[in-house]
Amino acid sequence: SGCGTFTFLSSTIAAISGLLMGYELGLISGALLQISSILALSCREQEIVVSSLLFGALFASLTAGFLIDRFGRRLAIIVASSLLVLGSLILLPYESYEILIVGRIAIGISISLSSIATCVYIAEIAPPHRRGLLVSLNELMIVIGILFAYISNYALASVSHGWKYMFGLVIPLGALQAIAMYFLPPSPRFLVMKNNDEAARKVLERLRETSDTTKELTVIKSTLKDEHQYSFLDLFRSKNNMRGRMLVGLTLVFFVQTTGQPNILFYASTVLKSVGFQSNEAASLASTGVGVVKVVSTVPATVFVDQVGSKTFLCIGSSVMAVSLVTMGLVNRNIHVNFANVCRSQSPEDFFLQRSGNFTVTNGSLKDLFVGMASTEKLSFDVQRSPDVDRTRELNRTDLAGAKSTTGSYMESGEVPVVLKWLSLASLLVYVAAFSIGLGPMSWLVLSEIFPGGIRGRAMALTSSMNWGINLFISLTFLTVSELIGLSWVCFIYTIMSLASLAFVIVFIPETKGCSLEQISMELAK
């Protein structure tokens, strides 16, 4: 009762934001394989392409809370969808590193704004006994979006300018969501905040499919009357335990990022190439398996969260993540691959010729070679090369083959043992599954519940800022750190963070299943 067709339909349309977000986060894994070849991008430039979306997301999260609390959750989702369409359109006509950065920043602003607004909107229209299901629907949509992205990565891996099709596929869906959201009602709690009680009553009657919503409306009004007096600085004061709630929220998103899942998402194809899936198509297909596992794992978490509870799922997820990360780290210690060379091998030579053999990266010579080759080996263009580039290319093929540089930076290109290759993939899939039942959906459910309604948008925006900021830092340094300490030690660091998150959840996260937002707020205020 209280969760009729209209409530579910409204939540589903709002959760399309999650589908769009997941697609945008996942597609760069495969698109990067083509873009880095066509534009001859260095490792650092690839990190910047991935992280440009996060720059936009971080910027948006700093202002999104004010926009959501001032103008409403529904309007914020409409603006976000429109901006995603605009950002995608910017990318299509050009093959330019700079335009790619600008378009990805616009998309980052869009998904950051929509991720906050969607969770708040769904939490505020959902009845207490179905809030876990409906809010987690957004996370389910995110992982479905990631799966669609990986499927498109595989399908378009060998298509000329396939990356443009990847970026363009979201445009119709983004436009449809913006139109559909216009016809949905605002959040009843937002209407009460704006002193529009009559409109709030009508919206509640539609959502609950009953004419008697007096009791729920009275509780919302009495609670928001007190909560509406909060200022932003109250988030850092002891008033109603706001400082404690804020620390719980910030620490939770810290563990979402530092347990490593975002890098697996962004660099899935690159990681899989490093453990033996040699071709772009093979790596993209294996990463599609990652997307399937995310969807399959998120479904039971979404369906049973209201019965089992978010805290239980968080504990299970963190425990299994730690075990799978240890396994992944031990496997990768036996695969002797210099990870940096894997990303540098996304060159036109590897992309078109799939050349085998050992090579070494010297100070800029290979980068110069790639830049020269980019203009000669694009699919249908034939531009005259300079003699210097030809000489550099010949030197790299002869003098550097099989050699090691003075810094010891090299890659063994021999076949990775089949057992290790598949064990690495299996542990990766278990790790992804564990995140998808724990920190993935449950952290955002908890965040949508623990803050008072009058300042919920700004509180969510602050935690989102930390989320995107840490995501940006980790993504900007992942390839660099993997080169310095090795992929196995990166996995061991993520293991330690997973165990720390388990301890944090057990001690600090409250169980909220079956409680209304107002009941949760009153309990936490103590």
Side-chain angles (χ1 to χ4, degrees):
S1 64
C3 185
T5 305
F6 186 67
T7 303
F8 185 78
L9 178 64
S10 300
S11 300
T12 303
I13 292 174
I16 290 175
S17 294
L19 184 71
L20 298 173
M21 177 182 177
Y23 184 84
E24 291 292 350
L25 291 174
L27 75 84
I28 196 64
S29 169
L32 196 61
L33 297 177
Q34 291 193 17
I35 293 169
S36 60
S37 302
I38 294 170
L39 301 181
L41 301 182
S42 66
C43 287
R44 189 62 181 168
E45 287 169 335
Q46 290 180 53
E47 288 176 329
I48 291 173
V49 168
V50 168
S51 302
S52 58
L53 179 141
L54 306 178
F55 276 113
L58 177 59
F59 170 77
S61 65
L62 297 174
T63 57
F66 170 76
L67 295 174
I68 291 168
D69 283 340
R70 179 70 181 273
F71 300 105
R73 294 75 161 114
R74 184 187 62 145
L75 183 60
I77 297 173
I78 294 172
V79 171
S81 299
S82 303
L83 189 57
L84 182 134
V85 171
L86 179 63
S88 300
L89 287 172
I90 290 173
L91 294 170
L92 298 185
Y94 307 103
E95 285 185 6
S96 163
Y97 175 65
E98 292 75 17
I99 295 295
L100 187 63
I101 299 299
V102 172
R104 293 291 286 173
I105 288 175
I107 292 171
I109 294 172
S110 164
I111 66 173
S112 176
L113 179 59
S114 67
S115 66
I116 302 169
T118 300
C119 284
V120 175
Y121 179 79
I122 296 177
E124 291 185 348
I125 68 172
H129 65 289
R130 286 289 178 263
R131 190 177 56 252
L133 169 67
L134 295 179
V135 174
S136 298
L137 188 64
N138 185 57
E139 177 67 19
L140 178 60
M141 287 291 209
I142 290 175
V143 298
I144 291 173
I146 292 169
L147 174 59
F148 283 165
Y150 285 158
I151 290 172
S152 73
N153 290 348
Y154 173 65
L156 301 170
S158 57
V159 174
S160 174
H161 302 294
W163 64 275
K164 290 191 175 185
Y165 297 108
M166 296 176 195
F167 285 125
L169 286 173
V170 296
I171 293 175
L173 189 57
L176 284 173
Q177 190 203 21
I179 295 169
M181 285 300 301
Y182 177 80
F183 295 100
L184 294 183
S187 156
R189 287 174 173 82
F190 174 74
L191 291 172
V192 172
M193 285 168 55
K194 296 302 178 182
N195 298 313
N196 198 343
D197 295 354
E198 183 58 26
R201 182 184 62 79
K202 292 180 179 178
V203 169
L204 274 176
E205 288 175 357
R206 291 183 69 190
L207 292 170
R208 303 293 178 259
E209 296 186 347
T210 176
S211 58
D212 184 17
T213 58
T214 306
K215 183 178 178 181
E216 183 175 359
L217 186 61
T218 302
V219 173
I220 292 172
K221 287 169 64 176
S222 62
T223 307
L224 286 177
K225 184 178 180 180
D226 299 327
E227 293 177 348
H228 197 46
Q229 306 305 315
Y230 285 115
S231 69
F232 181 75
L233 292 178
D234 285 332
L235 290 172
F236 307 98
R237 295 175 178 145
S238 58
K239 176 183 177 182
N240 291 334
N241 196 29
M242 286 304 300
R243 185 191 299 140
R245 300 194 218 186
M246 198 72 242
L247 286 174
V248 167
L250 292 174
T251 308
L252 192 57
V253 297
F254 172 79
F255 284 124
V256 169
Q257 298 300 327
T258 56
T259 49
Q261 186 78 185
N263 281 330
I264 299 301
L265 177 65
F266 291 141
Y267 296 106
S269 296
T270 307
V271 169
L272 289 165
K273 286 193 80 169
S274 76
V275 298
F277 294 89
Q278 295 295 338
S279 70
N280 290 345
E281 290 83 355
S284 294
L285 181 58
S287 62
T288 301
V290 173
V292 171
V293 168
K294 286 185 77 70
V295 172
V296 171
S297 305
T298 304
V299 169
T302 301
V303 172
F304 296 112
V305 61
D306 289 309
Q307 290 77 37
V308 177
S310 54
K311 184 170 183 174
T312 302
F313 275 122
L314 282 168
C315 291
I316 295 171
S318 296
S319 303
V320 178
M321 281 171 64
V323 174
S324 59
L325 282 165
V326 167
T327 305
M328 207 185 311
L330 293 173
V331 169
N332 282 311
R333 282 188 66 80
N334 294 300
I335 299 177
H336 305 292
V337 174
N338 184 318
F339 194 78
N341 281 352
V342 173
C343 85
R344 285 170 185 150
S345 72
Q346 315 294 337
S347 65
E349 180 140 346
D350 279 334
F351 190 69
F352 291 104
L353 306 181
Q354 293 296 326
R355 185 169 66 97
S356 62
N358 299 336
F359 65 85
T360 304
V361 178
T362 60
N363 296 332
S365 63
L366 197 58
K367 175 66 179 358
D368 294 338
L369 167 65
F370 287 173
V371 170
M373 289 166 61
S375 63
T376 61
E377 296 191 21
K378 283 185 183 179
L379 293 171
S380 58
F381 294 90
D382 187 13
V383 180
Q384 182 64 37
R385 292 187 298 266
S386 70
D388 290 339
V389 171
D390 282 332
R391 285 197 296 271
T392 304
R393 180 174 182 172
E394 193 61 35
L395 282 170
N396 276 277
R397 281 180 167 172
T398 55
D399 296 343
L400 298 179
K404 296 181 181 180
S405 70
T406 56
T407 61
S409 177
Y410 68 97
M411 181 175 87
E412 295 182 15
S413 61
E415 275 295 311
V416 175
V418 174
V419 173
L420 291 181
K421 181 165 73 172
W422 289 104
L423 184 58
S424 180
L425 178 61
S427 58
L428 174 66
L429 295 179
V430 172
Y431 165 63
V432 167
F435 181 87
S436 298
I437 66 170
L439 284 171
M442 300 307 153
S443 55
W444 297 105
L445 172 59
V446 171
L447 288 173
S448 71
E449 294 175 332
I450 64 175
F451 298 113
I455 198 172
R456 187 173 291 126
R458 281 163 285 176
M460 286 281 288
L462 183 59
T463 56
S464 181
S465 297
M466 182 165 181
N467 177 65
W468 291 113
I470 299 173
N471 194 335
L472 172 62
F473 173 76
I474 291 175
S475 299
L476 267 175
T477 58
F478 177 63
L479 296 178
T480 305
V481 171
S482 296
E483 177 183 11
L484 290 174
I485 66 174
L487 191 58
S488 60
W489 282 106
V490 171
C491 292
F492 293 145
I493 291 172
Y494 291 161
T495 301
I496 295 171
M497 300 311 298
S498 297
L499 292 173
S501 72
L502 174 62
F504 170 77
V505 168
I506 292 172
V507 176
F508 292 106
I509 298 296
E511 184 56 82
T512 58
K513 63 179 179 180
C515 301
S516 70
L517 294 177
E518 288 70 34
Q519 288 173 322
I520 294 168
S521 188
M522 285 187 286
E523 283 296 316
L524 292 176
K526 302 174 184 177

